[in-house]
Amino acid sequence: MKQPLQHQHDTLSPLFLVTLLVLGSLLLGYNIMTHLDVGLGDENVHRFQINWFIKGRFEIFKYIPMLPLYHGVVAAIAKVTGLHGLDGLRFAHMLFAVGVIPAMYALVRCFHPTEAMSRTLLLVFVPFLFPLFFITYTDLPSLMFVLLMVERAWKKCYLWAAALALVAVLMRTPNIIWVAFTTSMILLNTAKEMSVGIRLKTNGAQRGLLDKSFLLAGLRRISGFLVVFALFIVFVIINGGVAIGDAEQHPVSYNPSNLYFFLLVAFVLFLPFCVEQVPDIYRLLRKHWWIIGLLILVFFYYFYTYEHPHKYNRTSLKYYRHNLFIHYTSDYFYIRIASFFPMAWMALSFVTGVRKSEYGSTLLLILPFALLSFIPLPLIEHRYYVVTLTLFLAIRPRMSAWSTGATLTAFVLICAYVMFNISRQLFFL
């Protein structure tokens, strides 16, 4: 009896130590943020709505673009715990937002069980996400429900996945795109299970996408998601659009600059991964030389379309450091040219990652929904990329332990620098 117990203890202790590390980091981060006695960015808008709910005023503030489920949850936590005021609401928010950590852990276990802890730690310390644990923004709670939805769908718990899909959309309406991704993932997995495809054969007989058994199985599995889509359509018709409030700042447009900036952000976050892809990229370009010609054509399109006209991306708002980053990479001739190289590097790293991953089809499926999630938005904003970046982090191929350690160390150091400057109102990412 002692040996199995000892084995269980040894297995749990790394998780226990990581949990202590994360809890300690969160408490330290919260303590640092208590030195900031003013709201950041949209935080004041969200706190306004939360305070309305705490006071029993159940109306939607005109500058809230999403359904106020997040605000209702934080208000409920604040009322139960007595956590009022700026720091109190931030702590109530943190209690809600930390749910993204076990959600990420559960999702990574579906794909790379042995790396669940390391990849979850990387998510916690992403430099522009870590501060969001301590300010009343909807991004992390919204991400939590998207990750849980994908995890339940992968585990074939389709009714639970559909219920989580509904909550994800109520948390942030644009999450309907990731509900569509999850629906497509379910159908893709169903097709694989049943050996359905355009050219695949089972027992010598061709089975296509219109195969009756596949259609019935697929419809049965996504039936709950179809209800979510129907409710979303009804909401859009009644509301007259996706955004609840501040709709004039959230029109649908075509903005490829969000793609360019996304590639730059992804390159910085996944730099060690991109470095490890260099040999595969070299072999890819040698075998498919036409890709170089395609990149040259893409470069010219990029060069004449990278811009930032939205008023919230003006350089006068340099307190939000991503605006300066956009300004330098877009407005300076030589920097604009140089910026294309990390963009292309990240794109090629994605291609090589898909080619060698055992989950290549799922990774590839992310791509169209990622584009739909940020290209139609006129504002260039790195927080729009959170779901895409997180799903890639969870599913991407393995990289060396050295690269993982180097990435985590860099993230922690950058987080410390960012938190120090945010708490002193010097800048916000």
Side-chain angles (χ1 to χ4, degrees):
M1 291 293 292
K2 292 183 178 179
Q3 186 173 357
L5 289 175
Q6 181 65 35
H7 176 71
Q8 183 182 22
H9 174 75
D10 292 340
T11 303
L12 291 178
S13 46
L15 179 59
F16 178 72
L17 292 174
V18 167
T19 302
L20 286 181
L21 171 64
V22 170
L23 288 177
S25 300
L26 291 175
L27 291 175
L28 177 60
Y30 173 76
N31 182 60
I32 292 173
M33 198 60 73
T34 58
H35 293 87
L36 182 68
D37 55 3
V38 295
L40 280 172
D42 292 338
E43 188 178 26
N44 289 328
V45 174
H46 294 303
R47 285 196 299 116
F48 202 89
Q49 180 70 74
I50 293 168
N51 282 323
W52 271 12
F53 285 163
I54 291 175
K55 296 174 182 176
R57 183 176 177 180
F58 299 106
E59 302 174 26
I60 300 179
F61 186 46
K62 64 179 181 179
Y63 294 114
I64 296 294
M66 72 284 293
L67 291 164
L69 176 61
Y70 160 79
H71 310 84
V73 173
V74 175
I77 296 173
K79 291 197 73 171
V80 169
T81 59
L83 295 168
H84 297 174
L86 178 61
D87 289 337
L89 292 184
R90 284 174 173 165
F91 194 83
H93 159 84
M94 186 177 71
L95 294 177
F96 188 19
V98 293
V100 75
I101 299 174
M104 178 63 171
Y105 184 82
L107 180 61
V108 178
R109 281 179 60 87
C110 294
F111 301 97
H112 305 287
T114 59
E115 297 187 356
M117 284 189 292
S118 61
R119 297 194 190 212
T120 302
L121 277 175
L122 287 173
L123 176 69
V124 171
F125 292 105
V126 168
F128 68 83
L129 283 186
F130 187 71
L132 299 185
F133 280 104
F134 319 110
I135 59 177
T136 53
Y137 270 47
T138 63
D139 301 80
L140 292 181
S142 169
L143 176 63
M144 170 178 64
F145 287 105
V146 172
L147 297 182
L148 290 173
M149 170 186 64
V150 176
E151 188 270 342
R152 289 290 84 193
W154 190 266
K155 291 285 191 177
K156 300 183 181 180
C157 300
Y158 301 117
L159 287 179
W160 273 109
L164 290 163
L166 180 60
V167 177
V169 174
L170 291 174
M171 193 67 59
R172 281 175 71 103
T173 318
N175 281 337
I176 192 67
I177 292 171
W178 298 110
V179 174
F181 161 78
T182 308
T183 304
S184 301
M185 184 186 73
I186 293 171
L187 293 175
L188 177 63
N189 290 343
T190 303
K192 288 181 180 179
E193 291 174 18
M194 302 180 67
S195 299
V196 169
I198 297 175
R199 297 178 181 175
L200 295 179
K201 295 182 178 181
T202 301
N203 297 326
Q206 183 77 34
R207 297 186 68 180
L209 296 176
L210 297 180
D211 179 79
K212 183 178 179 181
S213 59
F214 165 69
L215 291 176
L216 290 176
L219 285 173
R220 184 170 61 252
R221 293 181 177 187
I222 67 170
S223 57
F225 289 85
L226 296 179
V227 173
V228 176
F229 289 128
L231 292 174
F232 176 78
I233 292 171
V234 171
F235 162 76
V236 171
I237 293 173
I238 295 175
N239 186 60
V242 175
I244 299 290
D246 201 24
E248 65 276 7
Q249 299 303 329
H250 298 83
V252 175
S253 65
Y254 172 68
N255 184 15
S257 295
N258 251 321
L259 172 59
Y260 309 145
F261 191 58
F262 164 78
L263 290 171
L264 287 174
V265 172
F267 177 77
V268 172
L269 289 182
F270 300 114
L271 178 56
F273 174 79
C274 292
V275 171
E276 291 192 352
Q277 301 308 303
V278 169
D280 292 323
I281 292 173
Y282 176 72
R283 286 190 289 269
L284 177 69
L285 295 179
R286 281 197 63 183
K287 186 176 181 180
H288 305 284
W289 57 267
W290 56 268
I291 295 177
I292 297 176
L294 178 62
L295 289 174
I296 293 173
L297 292 176
V298 171
F299 167 77
F300 284 105
Y301 182 80
Y302 148 81
F303 188 82
Y304 291 104
T305 57
Y306 189 18
E307 57 185 357
H308 53 97
H310 197 282
K311 69 176 185 178
Y312 291 161
N313 289 137
R314 293 173 182 169
T315 53
S316 57
L317 296 174
K318 62 182 180 180
Y319 173 75
Y320 302 95
R321 283 295 189 261
H322 68 278
N323 284 335
L324 280 184
F325 195 76
I326 296 168
H327 166 63
Y328 284 115
T329 57
S330 173
D331 297 345
Y332 286 81
F333 181 82
Y334 293 109
I335 300 179
R336 180 193 285 239
I337 294 175
S339 296
F340 182 76
F341 290 93
M343 294 179 194
W345 189 352
M346 182 64 230
L348 291 171
S349 297
F350 175 78
V351 172
T352 57
V354 167
R355 286 165 61 90
K356 68 183 180 183
S357 173
E358 57 185 310
Y359 304 108
S361 58
T362 305
L363 276 172
L364 193 59
L365 186 63
I366 293 173
L367 181 59
F369 296 98
L371 298 178
L372 284 173
S373 70
F374 50 71
I375 282 186
L377 304 177
L379 175 65
I380 303 174
E381 173 63 65
H382 55 290
R383 290 186 298 110
Y384 296 154
Y385 318 145
V386 167
V387 176
T388 302
L389 294 171
T390 304
L391 289 177
F392 183 73
L393 174 60
I395 305 173
R396 64 154 170 78
R398 293 175 175 86
M399 61 183 189
S400 67
W402 184 91
S403 294
T404 300
T407 304
L408 183 58
T409 301
F411 279 8
V412 171
L413 293 176
I414 296 171
C415 279
Y417 174 75
V418 169
M419 291 293 293
F420 176 82
N421 285 279
I422 289 177
S423 66
R424 281 152 181 79
Q425 301 182 47
L426 296 179
F427 68 74
F428 184 53
L429 295 179

